[in-house]
Amino acid sequence: TPPVYSLDGLLVFGLLLVCTCAYLRKVPRLKAWLLSEKRGLWGVFYKAAVIGTRLHVAVAVSCILMAFYVLVVK
């Protein structure tokens, strides 16, 4: 089965989405272009960027734990 359909695949996808959006929020032109809309489909990216910047410690720890899980356990 594709990894998107498993729980760990969804968690990896979510973490990558949050980390990418938080990184793009630091780039001024991309912030104004991609992350200015707060509703709809583009609002998902805005909310992921807010989660990534406000909970950066928890997101970083989650990325480390997920990397350990993917590389060692799985």
Side-chain angles (χ1 to χ4, degrees):
T1 65
V4 176
Y5 297 121
S6 63
L7 180 62
D8 56 344
L10 287 174
L11 289 174
V12 168
F13 177 76
L15 281 172
L16 287 174
L17 179 73
V18 168
C19 292
T20 303
C21 289
Y23 176 76
L24 292 178
R25 189 172 178 168
K26 299 294 182 184
V27 181
R29 286 185 186 239
L30 291 177
K31 180 181 179 184
W33 185 58
L34 285 175
L35 303 172
S36 61
E37 194 66 35
K38 295 182 181 178
R39 293 187 187 157
L41 179 64
W42 292 107
V44 173
F45 299 121
Y46 171 79
K47 290 173 185 173
V50 170
I51 289 170
T53 54
R54 290 186 183 172
L55 299 175
H56 60 278
V57 174
V59 171
V61 169
S62 299
C63 287
I64 292 169
L65 290 174
M66 186 54 72
F68 177 78
Y69 172 75
V70 168
L71 292 174
V72 177
V73 177
K74 192 175 179 185

